[in-house]
Amino acid sequence: MQNTEVTVVIPAGPPSRWPQLVRAVASARSQTHRPAEVVVVVDHDTAYFRRVRRDLAGATVIENGYAPGLAGSRDTGAFHVRTELIAFLGDDVVADPQWLARLTHAFTDPAVVGAGGGLHPDWRDGRPRWLADELMWTVAPGAESAGTGVMVAPGSGTAGMVVQRMVFREVGGFGRREASLPMRMRSLSGGRWRHVPDAVLRHDVPGNAASFRAFLRRCFRGGRAAVRPMPATVARNVGAAVRGRSVDHALRAGGAIAAMAAAGAGAMVRR
């Protein structure tokens, strides 16, 4: 694909996240690869829609025309787009200036139908001492751990991605199967999904999102598949603690054990 003109779609969260939304839009408009348009979608809140349209300069602001929620907002924005590429950005992330350039470069390969980048947590209250690298995804739904404190966004969630507009529309958009979008696009087109780790976003992590209770709740919902690497994580951190490297490693081993217990309980309840 030679045409890399792209529109950025940002679903707006609740009014309490207004400062984050302003930062996200500013980061989208400051890309070295300038987007043709930045579209902000407000989710069934008329008063907030009027405020965003009035106060957010430089963006096209529309209302969610589908079911309430993130997927409906994204689909509304995506079906407004006229460029060949669509970029999705969360309202709780800030994009590195090279984010869009690095993702759109992947589409110089005509077989690529979508691309996702890397996600770095910005801790408001510091990283929890008990949080292992492999469990970073619990503070950013839609991300997966890449180890060493970095998360990767394979194509879903708030982390951000770029897709081919025509293939996206052919599979019906996100709909109710948001997590399966990359798989559906690959299956329909026979194309590839590219991971571009240096296309970096920074995810705002408030203190309540990094609480132990929220952590257990996400592991409970994620099920056993989400914590499959945990035995190795426990062994690695216990070994490091025994060697006297840091008490944090013992805490992370305990966090991983708690994650496995919560995920197992979640799987049993679903059965």
Side-chain angles (χ1 to χ4, degrees):
M1 174 180 285
Q2 298 302 316
N3 185 357
T4 56
E5 192 174 36
V6 58
T7 298
V8 178
V9 173
I10 305 177
S16 60
R17 292 222 298 250
W18 167 254
Q20 290 97 315
L21 176 62
V22 171
R23 289 195 293 270
V25 171
S27 73
R29 298 186 66 227
S30 301
Q31 294 294 300
T32 56
H33 184 97
R34 295 295 296 272
E37 188 178 18
V38 176
V39 179
V40 174
V41 186
V42 179
D43 190 17
H44 297 280
D45 186 333
T46 302
Y48 190 42
F49 165 72
R50 290 172 179 163
R51 176 192 176 185
V52 175
R53 186 174 59 177
R54 181 189 69 232
D55 296 341
L56 197 59
T60 300
V61 183
I62 60 179
E63 293 185 275
N64 181 2
Y66 296 104
L70 185 59
S73 293
R74 284 175 170 164
D75 280 343
T76 296
F79 289 120
H80 165 89
V81 170
R82 295 292 177 266
T83 55
E84 292 301 314
L85 298 177
I86 309 169
F88 296 97
L89 189 66
D91 73 334
D92 56 352
V93 299
V94 172
D96 180 270
Q98 296 286 333
W99 166 71
L100 205 52
R102 288 168 175 157
L103 286 183
T104 55
H105 180 73
F107 292 86
T108 56
D109 178 352
V112 172
V113 296
L119 186 65
H120 292 248
D122 271 345
W123 308 100
R124 286 195 202 172
D125 300 325
R127 171 179 169 171
R129 298 178 66 189
W130 43 262
L131 184 62
D133 292 339
E134 293 85 349
L135 286 162
M136 284 289 185
W137 60 268
T138 61
V139 300
E144 297 175 353
S145 173
T148 64
V150 178
M151 297 173 285
V152 299
S156 61
T158 60
M161 61 178 172
V162 176
V163 298
Q164 279 193 26
R165 177 173 62 96
M166 295 304 296
V167 180
F168 176 86
R169 290 189 173 187
E170 286 172 6
V171 301
F174 287 99
R176 295 183 178 181
R177 298 181 295 161
E178 178 180 356
S180 67
L181 178 68
M183 180 184 66
R184 287 185 284 127
M185 290 182 65
R186 292 196 307 265
S187 177
L188 177 72
S189 65
R192 296 200 295 268
W193 199 273
R194 181 73 56 81
H195 171 50
V196 186
D198 59 351
V200 175
L201 304 176
R202 296 200 172 272
H203 173 71
D204 180 53
V205 185
N208 59 351
S211 70
F212 195 65
R213 176 178 294 182
F215 164 75
L216 291 178
R217 187 165 54 244
R218 293 189 185 109
C219 293
F220 181 90
R221 291 199 301 260
R224 290 177 178 171
V227 295
R228 198 166 287 155
M230 289 307 99
T233 300
V234 172
R236 177 173 58 80
N237 281 288
V238 167
V242 168
R243 291 191 297 273
R245 289 178 56 187
S246 169
V247 69
D248 287 357
H249 288 289
L251 294 174
R252 291 173 189 175
I257 292 170
M260 288 190 289
M268 291 178 62
V269 167
R270 280 189 290 277
R271 278 205 303 269

